[in-house]
Amino acid sequence: MIRYLHTITRRLSSALYITGDKAQEHFALLIPYIDFDKQLQNKSKLEHSINARRLNVNLEQVEKRWYFFKYLDEQRITLEFVNTEIGKGIRDLLKRGENADELKLQAKLVKEDLKTLKKYLYGVEESAALKILSLPNLLHPDTPEDKERLLFEHLIQPPSSRSHMQIGEHLIKFVNPFFYFLRGDAALFEYSLMNYASSALNSFTHMSNSDFSRTVVIEGCGTDFRDKSVFTLETRMDDDEYARSHLVGGASLYSFMSYFTKHLVIEKRLPMRLMTTARNYTPNSASDANLFSVNQGTALDFFIALKDNDQEINKEFNDLVSQIIATYKALGYHFRLVYVPARNLKNHESLRVAVQMFSSFTQTYIEVGHCSIIDNFLSKRLLFTYSVDKERKFVKIISGTLLKVPPLLACVLENNGQSNNLLSDFLKKFL
Amino acid sequence: MLRISPVTKRLIGTTSQLLWHLPENPELNLEYLSNANNAEEINRNNRARKGVGDIDLVLKLHNTLNELTPRDSNYESIHKQFCNELLKIPNRTHPSVTHLREPSVINTIGQKGVFDFKPREFHDICKRLNFVRTDQLGNVAGNRSYYLLGEMAELEKALINYTVTHLLKHNFELVSVPDILHRDIIEACGLNTRGDRTQVYNLDSNMFGPDLCLSGTSEMALAALYANEVVPERDLPIKLAGVSRCYRAETSSVAEERGIYRVHQFTKVEMFAISKPADSDSILEEFRLIEETNFSSLGLHLQTLDMPPHELGAPAYRKYDIEAWMPGRNMYGEVSSCSNCTDFQSRRLNIKYDNESELGYVHTLNGTACAIPRMLIAIIETYQTDKGVIGIPEVLQKYMKNKTVMSKQLAIPDLRLIKYKK
């Protein structure tokens, strides 16, 4: 049957999963760890995650594709075995000085079959792998299905106000979402707030990260750069067409993952608690002329790497949530923490708690920070491992943003209702 | 007399409802530039500065234009060419430096430290103490990427905070600036943004439009902040400070520039001033003094250079470089500079002052208050000991939880590369 399968020409569609045929032309950094059979043992959980996130994924089709790949791959193994055996047979016959023409003919047919199969197999392997890699993380039991669930609330909603763009007219020069300036007290607010925030996470180790990440990491984190969810640089002379550079900013999950991709850490160094105060660049699809939809901001991002232990990650997460609450309480504004419903999670997140402040002008809650359990979802894709007795384990990850300046500044201006008390006595201590 | 109309303006911005214009044909000093009597002087200056301008061509085009009327069919294209050629003429040069063939040392601060062991290089120290990671990052982050780890990242923040505090005391206004800029702003500041050899990163033009670039210094954004403004003379000088990430596509294979000496991205605290023409010389001296005081208070040995014409770049009228002694490298390395750009940028960005009797173009100045990677190199090499720890400059200690030394960073572990692909 195999002889009748015709090969299909494919273009390179993924920087993360590069099959053997393309690896000759394009450098393949790694091959993501795929354990779909194991995932299928928890099929109902996976289905629940897909449905609750309202993803348009047909798990049955993914399964079919996977089994088809496995079936063909078994054929390949069989053919390769047969090929070796025939080879041995031919050598034996020739040694004995006998005629091996019949076996040679068989060998030719098997080799042709194998060649055709392999060509075809790469395509099947790629499409199966990419389908599997597009599946979401499982959901954490605390993730609500439909609506946000309140976890914590501090103080009461402030009264309605003018927009922060009006209140901060002299402090914000806004031309477009790319091009805005913070001046005077607004710049000092950013400066002192970041100083305060880094002091608040005093048990964390500081990092100063790269602002650029390559496509393999972007895709490894489940983002398709073609849909403009990250900034992509024009290719330069030294760039591989499929290893593009992306401007993400040091305060991003991508930048932390770039650091750990394809690396192994010694078990006793875990847990690792890291933080950075840096830029974050994220293309914003809304083109409103305000600080809620800007493409650049200063933020404090954290990244915690943990052993493969569910209890430990839950405890770490709860401790972190308490630290976040304490950090915000000291600022003296109304805020709340909510569990984000499944449909608003990113594919790699299993649980997300959002820190929200209130926009007194739009009368809506705005996310100013977050904290997510990623588990080992990204570690498997980008090979961030440790080993216990020579057995490979995947690192579990908690990541998030303690705060990002533009929306927080906007909410504080609106909560204050005026611009002249932006630098509270508390923040002045951090100037 | 030919006048270039400042009326035609281009729109800067990704959404059309947001207005932001730069003059398409800046009002350059035509009285000077198109006067044949000045041609020899301009030519001499252009040659000394290794400029790309061609004043003879400018004059030729000028004469051609004078013989035409705007109704002639080729008027527009010649006018366009004339404007483009005009923009290539570099700034004039301060008379005190026109004769210089090489940098002239005008000030020396401190002395080379004495070590009773062979001082190590930054890269070597960082490897031993796990301060910086540069290896195995090309395929995940990009060529010449680096991560500062633990106390090294704290030292970076301490330097920024120390510098900003210093500038606030000198009445600078802190400004938070954009790092992604429209091409025209960068070109107006005197940098080419196109072609294979450009130092400027561009965003993918198919996805984000043809004109977005990464800023190489916050000087550009700070200059653009005042584009098209008329500032009352009594408000001058305006002194601004910006902390930003700077992106430079330049590459180098020079051995001296290994490690993080020349990188594609770094944090910098920048000083920028807008002044009356009469004040720009003295503000340049103020910038130089701030830089010298700041770096010498960190215990560094420095020398200040007055730069010769060919080192000025097109916008600068005069430029000082400050070099710090790097004992491990056994050389002086440039850590900072400051320039007086007189009206070169203000004409291109249309920034004027108004003293109630007349409007004039302001002068702009810029200076590096602190550029991170090289400051780290100078500090780490200067403060190294043979005991496996690095001293922290006294003035920075209060920004680092009063620590006095930095030692091997254990919290961020040595990573091992996974050799196999799966």
Side-chain angles (χ1 to χ4, degrees):
Chain A
M1 129 199 151
I2 290 156
R3 207 164 308 152
Y4 303 105
L5 297 173
H6 62 279
T7 52
I8 40 168
T9 43
R10 295 174 295 133
R11 59 174 201 89
L12 193 134
S13 43
S14 164
L16 179 64
Y17 198 95
I18 296 180
T19 45
D21 54 337
K22 289 174 187 164
Q24 290 170 352
E25 282 170 60
H26 303 285
F27 174 70
L29 181 69
L30 52 80
I31 298 173
Y33 176 78
I34 289 178
D35 54 352
F36 193 51
D37 289 324
K38 209 172 154 198
Q39 277 177 280
L40 286 176
Q41 289 168 12
N42 265 328
K43 193 173 164 187
S44 60
K45 282 189 182 171
L46 188 55
E47 267 172 340
H48 170 67
S49 173
I50 292 169
N51 295 336
R53 289 169 196 260
R54 320 249 161 102
L55 296 178
N56 186 19
V57 173
N58 185 336
L59 192 54
E60 304 294 329
Q61 269 182 6
V62 182
E63 256 186 285
K64 269 190 196 158
R65 200 74 196 163
W66 173 245
Y67 287 133
F68 183 48
F69 163 67
K70 283 198 6 173
Y71 165 74
L72 290 183
D73 204 39
E74 275 161 23
Q75 301 266 312
R76 174 187 62 83
I77 293 167
T78 312
L79 281 174
E80 276 177 352
F81 178 75
V82 171
N83 187 31
T84 326
E85 289 303 305
I86 294 178
K88 274 186 207 160
I90 294 173
R91 275 196 302 279
D92 281 354
L93 285 174
L94 292 178
K95 233 185 244 171
R96 291 202 299 270
E98 290 174 32
N99 187 328
D101 286 354
E102 198 176 327
L103 272 189
K104 279 184 182 167
L105 185 65
Q106 277 187 33
K108 201 180 153 203
L109 290 176
V110 169
K111 277 202 177 98
E112 264 174 32
D113 277 1
L114 197 56
K115 200 176 148 195
T116 317
L117 174 67
K118 272 188 173 172
K119 267 192 184 170
Y120 185 70
L121 190 62
Y122 283 131
V124 180
E125 176 193 349
E126 183 185 57
S127 83
L130 292 185
K131 280 201 160 80
I132 292 166
L133 287 169
S134 69
L135 294 174
N137 201 345
L138 296 182
L139 294 176
H140 189 279
D142 287 342
T143 296
E145 206 143 310
D146 283 328
K147 284 197 215 115
E148 288 177 344
R149 195 172 70 244
L150 189 68
L151 167 66
F152 180 86
E153 191 167 25
H154 181 66
L155 304 178
I156 53 160
Q157 269 184 18
S160 73
S161 74
R162 291 176 298 151
S163 141
H164 62 272
M165 296 299 283
Q166 276 181 297
I167 299 169
E169 205 182 356
H170 304 294
L171 301 176
I172 304 160
K173 171 148 182 162
F174 188 99
V175 178
N176 62 48
F178 280 100
F179 199 66
Y180 74 96
F181 296 83
L182 303 180
R183 304 199 56 168
D185 279 359
L188 293 173
F189 177 85
E190 172 180 82
Y191 175 72
S192 54
L193 183 68
M194 294 321 291
N195 285 342
Y196 161 59
S198 9
S199 74
L201 293 187
N202 58 10
S203 65
F204 281 58
T205 303
H206 290 242
M207 294 267 281
S208 184
N209 296 346
S210 166
D211 294 291
F212 294 159
S213 283
R214 294 277 197 195
T215 308
V216 62
V217 176
I218 303 296
E219 226 185 281
C221 292
T223 303
D224 183 359
F225 77 89
R226 293 175 196 88
D227 69 12
K228 297 194 220 171
S229 31
V230 291
F231 287 114
T232 301
L233 300 184
E234 200 75 89
T235 46
R236 295 180 66 84
M237 287 180 295
D238 55 345
D239 282 345
D240 184 316
E241 197 186 339
Y242 300 108
R244 304 285 298 265
S245 291
H246 306 276
L247 177 74
V248 292
S252 67
L253 176 60
Y254 304 116
S255 191
F256 279 112
M257 282 314 294
S258 294
Y259 190 84
F260 292 108
T261 289
K262 213 187 166 196
H263 275 84
L264 180 138
V265 61
I266 302 163
E267 187 194 6
K268 67 174 183 195
R269 296 281 185 230
L270 298 173
M272 231 187 308
R273 299 181 184 90
L274 309 175
M275 57 153 273
T276 188
T277 53
R279 295 283 206 236
N280 178 283
Y281 306 97
T282 308
N284 212 302
S285 48
S287 56
D288 303 335
N290 63 44
L291 292 184
F292 296 136
S293 54
V294 288
N295 296 323
Q296 170 189 320
T298 305
L300 188 153
D301 262 40
F302 51 79
F303 182 90
I304 305 178
L306 299 145
K307 282 183 222 174
D308 188 7
N309 176 322
D310 283 337
Q311 265 181 324
E312 201 181 315
I313 195 168
N314 284 328
K315 182 181 181 304
E316 187 75 26
F317 191 78
N318 292 336
D319 290 351
L320 188 59
V321 165
S322 311
Q323 254 182 304
I324 294 173
I325 289 173
T327 306
Y328 275 88
K329 268 186 177 172
L331 291 174
Y333 293 94
H334 169 59
F335 71 93
R336 66 180 202 183
L337 269 62
V338 297
Y339 288 111
V340 174
R343 68 191 141 84
N344 293 340
L345 295 187
K346 303 244 167 75
N347 262 6
H348 63 265
E349 292 173 317
S350 138
L351 174 73
R352 180 185 181 101
V353 166
V355 186
Q356 300 176 330
M357 285 181 69
F358 192 66
S359 162
S360 334
F361 174 65
T362 62
Q363 296 284 304
T364 52
Y365 280 96
I366 305 282
E367 184 174 306
V368 292
H370 78 275
C371 175
S372 307
I373 291 186
I374 295 171
D375 212 271
N376 56 20
F377 187 79
L378 295 183
S379 308
K380 285 180 178 168
R381 297 161 68 97
L382 288 170
L383 304 188
F384 175 22
T385 68
Y386 68 103
S387 68
V388 181
D389 301 330
K390 297 203 171 160
E391 188 200 342
R392 171 162 68 169
K393 300 257 186 190
F394 291 97
V395 174
K396 294 206 175 205
I397 295 169
I398 293 174
S399 106
T401 302
L402 179 62
L403 55 83
K404 40 187 179 182
V405 170
L408 197 151
L409 168 64
C411 289
V412 165
L413 280 168
E414 292 182 7
N415 290 185
N416 285 347
Q418 51 173 319
S419 65
N420 58 10
N421 53 351
L422 198 49
L423 289 171
S424 61
D425 288 340
F426 176 75
L427 279 182
K428 278 183 188 152
K429 288 189 279 186
F430 296 91
L431 273 180
Chain B
M1 179 83 210
L2 183 81
R3 284 257 168 248
I4 294 186
S5 147
V7 180
T8 4
K9 288 181 172 181
R10 279 172 297 176
L11 188 73
I12 288 189
T14 47
T15 43
S16 56
Q17 74 270 26
L18 303 163
L19 298 173
W20 185 256
H21 299 102
L22 284 189
E24 183 166 13
N25 296 322
E27 198 179 62
L28 298 183
N29 188 351
L30 282 184
E31 239 165 277
Y32 174 73
L33 290 171
S34 61
N35 182 343
N37 295 332
N38 299 325
E40 201 193 314
E41 183 184 304
I42 295 171
N43 233 329
R44 207 181 317 122
N45 183 46
N46 187 47
R47 268 201 313 274
R49 300 180 60 138
K50 302 201 169 139
V52 292
D54 182 348
I55 192 67
D56 298 331
L57 180 58
V58 168
L59 293 175
K60 205 179 109 200
L61 291 167
H62 184 244
N63 289 336
T64 316
L65 278 180
N66 277 341
E67 286 159 16
L68 297 174
T69 69
R71 275 192 301 262
D72 287 311
S73 58
N74 55 348
Y75 182 88
E76 209 163 298
S77 68
I78 293 181
H79 183 253
K80 183 78 211 153
Q81 196 193 353
F82 173 67
C83 296
N84 286 342
E85 287 303 321
L86 268 179
L87 288 171
K88 291 182 191 166
I89 306 291
N91 201 345
R92 286 200 243 187
T93 306
H94 193 285
S96 322
V97 297
T98 45
H99 66 283
L100 291 181
R101 294 287 167 270
E102 53 188 48
S104 148
V105 178
I106 55 162
N107 193 11
T108 308
I109 295 169
Q111 295 159 11
K112 291 181 188 172
V114 182
F115 293 87
D116 52 11
F117 58 97
K118 188 176 183 297
R120 292 200 165 91
E121 258 190 64
F122 179 79
H123 189 67
D124 190 20
I125 299 170
C126 290
K127 224 177 169 114
R128 282 159 188 266
L129 299 181
N130 197 27
F131 281 170
V132 181
R133 177 173 155 209
T134 53
D135 58 335
Q136 302 294 343
L137 289 171
N139 292 317
V140 286
N143 300 332
R144 283 183 178 257
S145 293
Y146 61 98
Y147 284 72
L148 305 181
L149 313 177
E151 284 170 339
M152 194 61 147
E154 288 179 47
L155 184 65
E156 176 190 47
K157 284 279 157 351
L159 273 167
I160 294 166
N161 285 359
Y162 175 64
T163 310
V164 168
T165 309
H166 193 139
L167 295 181
L168 291 176
K169 276 185 200 147
H170 279 84
N171 296 317
F172 280 76
E173 180 195 341
L174 186 64
V175 178
S176 182
V177 298
D179 301 332
I180 301 174
L181 300 178
H182 193 283
R183 184 182 306 287
D184 289 353
I185 293 172
I186 297 176
E187 303 229 330
C189 288
L191 221 66
N192 181 24
T193 63
R194 295 178 196 269
D196 279 345
R197 297 174 67 93
T198 176
Q199 295 191 7
V200 179
Y201 285 109
N202 287 247
L203 287 188
D204 185 294
S205 52
N206 293 323
M207 289 191 248
F208 302 101
D211 288 319
L212 292 173
C213 302
L214 306 192
S215 175
T217 161
S218 57
E219 166 202 343
M220 297 166 180
L222 292 170
L225 179 58
Y226 279 87
N228 297 316
E229 293 221 0
V230 178
V231 186
E233 193 187 57
R234 60 174 182 280
D235 291 347
L236 297 177
I238 293 169
K239 294 193 289 180
L240 308 173
V243 184
S244 77
R245 282 299 265 187
C246 306
Y247 300 99
R248 296 182 184 182
E250 59 199 348
T251 50
S252 161
S253 49
V254 184
E256 279 168 5
E257 303 190 337
R258 62 197 168 266
I260 64 164
Y261 190 85
R262 193 178 291 281
V263 287
H264 292 316
Q265 39 182 301
F266 60 94
T267 302
K268 180 158 68 84
V269 187
E270 180 80 353
M271 302 182 280
F272 186 82
I274 294 170
S275 81
K276 287 186 281 191
D279 294 344
S280 64
D281 278 336
S282 67
I283 291 175
L284 184 67
E285 296 308 311
E286 183 188 338
F287 273 21
R288 175 165 75 89
L289 196 65
I290 289 173
E291 291 173 355
E292 288 173 347
T293 318
N294 201 14
F295 305 147
S296 67
S297 70
L298 292 166
L300 300 177
H301 163 49
L302 311 160
Q303 62 180 22
T304 307
L305 312 173
D306 209 350
M307 300 308 279
H310 68 273
E311 297 270 11
L312 294 183
Y317 174 68
R318 186 177 202 172
K319 181 171 122 174
Y320 294 121
D321 271 10
I322 297 185
E323 297 185 332
W325 178 245
M326 301 175 172
R329 289 175 170 254
N330 196 33
M331 64 171 234
Y332 288 97
E334 182 197 334
V335 291
S336 170
S337 70
C338 54
S339 310
N340 181 358
C341 296
T342 61
D343 62 357
F344 187 90
Q345 293 175 333
S346 63
R347 285 180 180 274
R348 285 160 174 77
L349 290 162
N350 192 26
I351 313 175
K352 290 179 176 168
Y353 68 92
D354 176 4
N355 67 5
E356 284 169 11
S357 62
E358 58 164 8
L359 286 179
Y361 283 98
V362 299
H363 281 189
T364 62
L365 300 101
N366 62 78
T368 321
C370 180
I372 284 305
R374 297 210 188 151
M375 283 306 282
L376 294 178
I377 295 174
I379 289 175
I380 297 296
E381 290 193 2
T382 302
Y383 283 82
Q384 62 181 301
T385 68
D386 59 351
K387 297 181 183 66
V389 294
I390 306 292
I392 298 172
E394 207 180 329
V395 291
L396 297 182
Q397 290 172 7
K398 73 166 177 171
Y399 300 95
M400 293 181 70
K401 302 174 197 156
N402 296 316
K403 283 184 262 197
T404 56
V405 292
M406 297 160 55
S407 46
K408 185 166 172 123
Q409 297 304 293
L410 298 172
I412 300 184
D414 280 334
L415 295 174
R416 267 190 284 152
L417 181 72
I418 300 175
K419 294 267 168 56
Y420 45 88
K421 283 186 174 159
K422 285 199 179 188

